[in-house]
Protein backbone atom coordinates (compact mmCIF):
# COMPACT_ATOMS: atom_id res chain seq x y z
CA UNK A 1 0.00 0.00 0.00
CA UNK A 2 0.96 3.62 0.08
CA UNK A 3 2.05 5.03 3.40
CA UNK A 4 2.09 3.36 6.76
CA UNK A 5 -0.99 3.43 8.92
CA UNK A 6 -0.65 3.26 12.66
CA UNK A 7 -2.92 1.65 15.19
CA UNK A 8 -6.30 0.11 14.48
CA UNK A 9 -6.70 1.58 11.02
CA UNK A 10 -3.81 -0.49 9.68
CA UNK A 11 -5.18 -3.62 11.30
CA UNK A 12 -8.62 -2.94 9.86
CA UNK A 13 -7.13 -2.41 6.40
CA UNK A 14 -5.24 -5.72 6.64
CA UNK A 15 -8.39 -7.54 7.77
CA UNK A 16 -10.33 -5.94 4.90
CA UNK A 17 -7.75 -7.08 2.35
CA UNK A 18 -7.67 -10.62 3.78
CA UNK A 19 -11.47 -10.83 3.74
CA UNK A 20 -11.62 -9.61 0.14
CA UNK A 21 -8.98 -12.14 -0.88
CA UNK A 22 -11.09 -14.90 0.68
CA UNK A 23 -14.22 -13.63 -1.09
CA UNK A 24 -12.38 -13.65 -4.43
CA UNK A 25 -11.07 -17.19 -3.89
CA UNK A 26 -13.44 -19.53 -5.71
CA UNK A 27 -12.06 -22.45 -3.67
CA UNK A 28 -12.79 -20.83 -0.31
CA UNK A 29 -15.18 -22.77 1.89
CA UNK A 30 -18.68 -21.53 2.60
CA UNK A 31 -17.65 -20.94 6.22
CA UNK A 32 -14.63 -18.87 5.15
CA UNK A 33 -16.77 -16.73 2.85
CA UNK A 34 -19.36 -16.16 5.60
CA UNK A 35 -16.55 -15.15 8.00
CA UNK A 36 -15.19 -12.78 5.34
CA UNK A 37 -18.66 -11.27 4.93
CA UNK A 38 -18.91 -10.83 8.70
CA UNK A 39 -15.61 -8.95 8.70
CA UNK A 40 -16.52 -6.73 5.76
CA UNK A 41 -19.92 -5.86 7.22
CA UNK A 42 -18.49 -4.67 10.57
CA UNK A 43 -19.33 -1.14 11.66
CA UNK A 44 -16.59 1.22 10.61
CA UNK A 45 -15.19 -1.07 7.92
CA UNK A 46 -14.52 1.00 4.81
CA UNK A 47 -16.07 -0.63 1.76
CA UNK A 48 -15.94 0.54 -1.82
CA UNK A 49 -18.64 -0.28 -4.38
CA UNK A 50 -16.15 -2.70 -5.96
CA UNK A 51 -15.66 -4.48 -2.61
CA UNK A 52 -19.41 -4.93 -2.38
CA UNK A 53 -19.54 -6.42 -5.88
CA UNK A 54 -16.87 -8.97 -4.90
CA UNK A 55 -18.70 -9.84 -1.68
CA UNK A 56 -22.14 -10.13 -3.32
CA UNK A 57 -20.74 -12.35 -6.09
CA UNK A 58 -18.98 -14.61 -3.56
CA UNK A 59 -22.17 -15.00 -1.54
CA UNK A 60 -24.21 -15.61 -4.68
CA UNK A 61 -21.82 -18.34 -5.90
CA UNK A 62 -22.45 -20.15 -2.65
CA UNK A 63 -26.24 -19.78 -2.92
CA UNK A 64 -26.41 -17.36 0.03
CA UNK A 65 -28.94 -15.12 -1.68
CA UNK A 66 -30.41 -13.71 1.54
CA UNK A 67 -26.96 -12.67 2.69
CA UNK A 68 -26.18 -11.15 -0.73
CA UNK A 69 -29.39 -9.12 -0.54
CA UNK A 70 -28.41 -8.00 2.96
CA UNK A 71 -25.23 -6.52 1.47
CA UNK A 72 -27.38 -4.51 -0.94
CA UNK A 73 -29.31 -3.19 2.08
CA UNK A 74 -26.05 -2.40 3.87
CA UNK A 75 -24.88 -0.41 0.86
CA UNK A 76 -28.06 1.68 0.99
CA UNK A 77 -27.61 2.24 4.74
CA UNK A 78 -24.07 3.47 4.14
CA UNK A 79 -25.14 5.89 1.43
CA UNK A 80 -23.79 3.77 -1.43
CA UNK A 81 -26.71 3.05 -3.77
CA UNK A 82 -26.31 -0.31 -5.53
CA UNK A 83 -25.94 -0.19 -9.29
CA UNK A 84 -26.36 -2.65 -12.16
CA UNK A 85 -23.10 -4.46 -11.30
CA UNK A 86 -24.32 -5.14 -7.76
CA UNK A 87 -27.74 -6.37 -8.86
CA UNK A 88 -26.16 -8.62 -11.52
CA UNK A 89 -23.75 -10.05 -8.94
CA UNK A 90 -26.70 -10.82 -6.66
CA UNK A 91 -28.51 -12.88 -9.32
Amino acid sequence: GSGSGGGGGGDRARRRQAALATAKDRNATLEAVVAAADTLEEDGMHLTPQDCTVLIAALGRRRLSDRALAVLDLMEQRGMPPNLFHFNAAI
Side-chain angles (χ1 to χ4, degrees):
S2 60
S4 60
D11 178 58
R12 185 172 286 147
R14 281 188 294 278
R15 290 176 46 238
R16 175 180 163 267
Q17 289 301 322
L20 285 170
T22 299
K24 289 178 185 175
D25 181 358
R26 291 180 179 267
N27 295 317
T29 65
L30 179 116
E31 292 79 12
V33 171
V34 169
D38 290 342
T39 296
L40 293 170
E41 292 173 353
E42 287 175 8
D43 284 343
M45 183 65 71
H46 174 73
L47 289 178
T48 67
Q50 293 83 5
D51 297 341
C52 293
T53 303
V54 168
L55 180 55
I56 292 166
L59 293 166
R61 277 194 300 274
R62 286 156 183 88
R63 305 288 186 242
L64 298 171
S65 57
D66 289 345
R67 189 71 185 262
L69 293 174
V71 175
L72 294 174
D73 289 339
L74 179 68
M75 291 178 68
E76 288 280 355
Q77 293 169 16
R78 293 189 181 184
M80 214 180 347
N83 62 31
L84 185 61
F85 292 105
H86 301 110
F87 291 115
N88 282 339
I91 293 175

